[in-house]
Amino acid sequence: MKWSNDAHELGASKVPIAVLGKDRFGTSRNDLKQIVHQARAGVTHVDNRYADASERGNELEKPLAEWAVKRIRKYCTSPQDAVLVYPKEGYRIEDEKICASLDAMVFIQGGNVKIWCPFGEFILPEGEYIPLEIKTDGYTEGPPTEEHVIQLHTQMMCTGTSMGIIAKLGPKLNFDLWCYERDDDLCAVILQKVREFWYNVEHDIDFDETEQKPAVVDLNGNDEAERLQAMVDGYLKAKAKQEDAKVEKEQYQELIEVFLHRNNVQIGSLGNHRLEYKKVLRKSKPEQITPATPATEYYRFSVKEL
């Protein structure tokens, strides 16, 4: 259930855009600013690009929340217990114009509960309503994304809690509970970025969304510059050999393919080798709309001449 009002407050799921500049699907701070202005004009923003993902998440939200609490109960010993709670209203920091519409909360009773998650051991405190955020992410393995962590910390700020849990159903249907203690430094950054966002909204100032390229670092003065240069030289020599070998391999492959084609051979044997040059039929596919997928990050390595 969405409790936030886009006209005058940021929902916790939108706060990461204000903090990071844009989300994994490319929605930027200027897009978010436009959503606010549209809401104030009485226009409801609906983004159908992610309708399937949103529907999937909503349908799985309740069973995954129940599964998460069952996991927690495995760590409980009498009289400890974990109770699943579905909030009936949003939690707000009105002065900061933030609202958290929580998927669910876990109430711990009968004593603190020691729980294990991939980060290690955590203590779930007795008497605290702990935010439980449900995520279905078929693209990213391992811990929740930076966006999700910021969303959870926004929930912790709005509810005044010291802990939060992200229950994530990831690739290959891996389901894990990821526990987070409230990071006050991160919370301070979130509040600063949210305030900057609302300042720009109220003064109708567009955000500068020019992507900043990393600065070139001069490594010549580094204490290990000579060792690094030797590694670079070795890499370039190995790369040259690999490229030469690839060209030679492709030349031989072409000669073999011409021979097999000329002799009308798709599968042949020569000595203790099996040669294949089979015709492969790629089945036709109906026209279809590709569903939206999130951006992903990775590092690309290269060595180029300056």
Side-chain angles (χ1 to χ4, degrees):
M1 175 67 73
K2 182 179 183 294
W3 299 101
S4 59
N5 185 333
D6 291 336
H8 58 78
E9 58 191 3
L10 276 182
S13 63
K14 291 186 173 70
V15 168
I17 301 173
V19 176
L20 300 174
K22 62 181 179 180
D23 64 14
R24 294 186 300 159
F25 291 96
T27 303
S28 68
R29 288 174 295 183
N30 286 328
D31 295 328
L32 193 56
K33 178 169 158 281
Q34 185 64 28
I35 291 172
V36 173
H37 288 314
Q38 289 175 346
R40 290 179 175 180
V43 179
T44 301
H45 176 76
V46 178
D47 195 337
N48 290 320
R49 292 178 298 170
Y50 321 124
D52 288 345
S54 178
E55 182 182 10
R56 181 177 62 248
N58 290 334
E59 291 296 329
L60 292 175
E61 187 175 288
K62 187 173 181 179
L64 290 178
E66 293 173 352
W67 189 3
V69 171
K70 287 180 181 177
R71 283 274 184 94
I72 296 173
R73 284 178 179 152
K74 290 181 178 180
Y75 294 95
C76 295
T77 58
S78 182
Q80 296 172 336
D81 193 16
V83 180
L84 179 61
V85 178
Y86 292 108
K88 297 181 179 180
E89 61 181 355
Y91 290 79
R92 292 176 167 84
I93 305 177
E94 293 187 0
D95 291 345
E96 302 293 351
K97 300 180 182 179
I98 304 174
C99 176
S101 303
L102 303 173
D103 292 338
M105 305 178 87
V106 180
F107 181 72
I108 302 298
Q109 59 188 23
N112 295 342
V113 175
K114 182 183 292 185
I115 185 175
W116 184 92
C117 85
F119 289 144
E121 285 189 345
F122 284 81
I123 302 296
L124 303 184
E126 177 187 12
E128 189 166 295
Y129 287 89
I130 300 170
L132 175 61
E133 178 64 23
I134 309 301
K135 292 299 179 187
T136 56
D137 186 346
Y139 303 99
T140 309
E141 295 183 355
T145 65
E146 192 174 17
E147 292 174 33
H148 298 159
V149 175
I150 291 172
Q151 179 183 358
L152 184 67
H153 273 75
T154 303
Q155 294 173 350
M156 285 190 272
M157 284 194 292
C158 290
T159 56
T161 52
S162 62
M163 291 280 303
I165 301 172
I166 297 177
K168 176 187 170 185
L169 182 67
K172 301 178 182 178
L173 300 180
N174 290 326
F175 184 65
D176 286 304
L177 304 184
W178 300 84
C179 300
Y180 291 85
E181 294 178 347
R182 178 167 163 170
D183 183 337
D184 289 334
D185 290 336
L186 176 56
C187 291
V189 172
I190 292 172
L191 289 177
Q192 176 189 347
K193 292 295 184 179
V194 167
R195 290 165 186 163
E196 290 175 3
F197 172 79
W198 284 115
Y199 180 88
N200 283 33
V201 168
E202 303 304 344
H203 294 82
D204 199 18
I205 301 172
D206 283 340
F207 292 92
D208 180 6
E209 294 179 344
T210 305
E211 292 194 14
Q212 300 294 324
K213 294 184 178 180
V216 178
V217 179
D218 186 354
L219 298 173
N220 289 289
N222 190 282
D223 293 340
E224 296 188 86
E226 290 186 10
R227 179 169 172 267
L228 179 60
Q229 185 63 60
M231 289 188 282
V232 170
D233 292 342
Y235 167 80
L236 292 174
K237 289 179 182 178
K239 182 180 178 182
K241 289 181 181 178
Q242 186 182 45
E243 291 173 350
D244 290 343
K246 181 180 178 182
V247 171
E248 187 176 9
K249 168 182 167 290
E250 291 175 349
Q251 290 174 341
Y252 280 118
Q253 179 177 333
E254 183 178 359
L255 292 173
I256 296 170
E257 288 176 350
V258 169
F259 176 90
L260 295 175
H261 181 73
R262 188 174 65 238
N263 288 275
N264 195 27
V265 175
Q266 291 196 46
I267 302 176
S269 62
L270 181 68
N272 58 354
H273 295 93
R274 176 187 174 97
L275 310 179
E276 293 189 1
Y277 187 53
K278 296 190 296 184
K279 183 183 293 185
V280 178
L281 175 63
R282 181 179 289 114
K283 294 182 179 180
S284 62
K285 292 183 178 180
E287 183 177 357
Q288 58 185 9
I289 299 175
T290 304
T293 57
T296 57
E297 293 182 335
Y298 63 96
Y299 289 96
R300 181 186 291 124
F301 174 77
S302 68
V303 175
K304 300 178 181 179
E305 292 289 338
L306 295 176

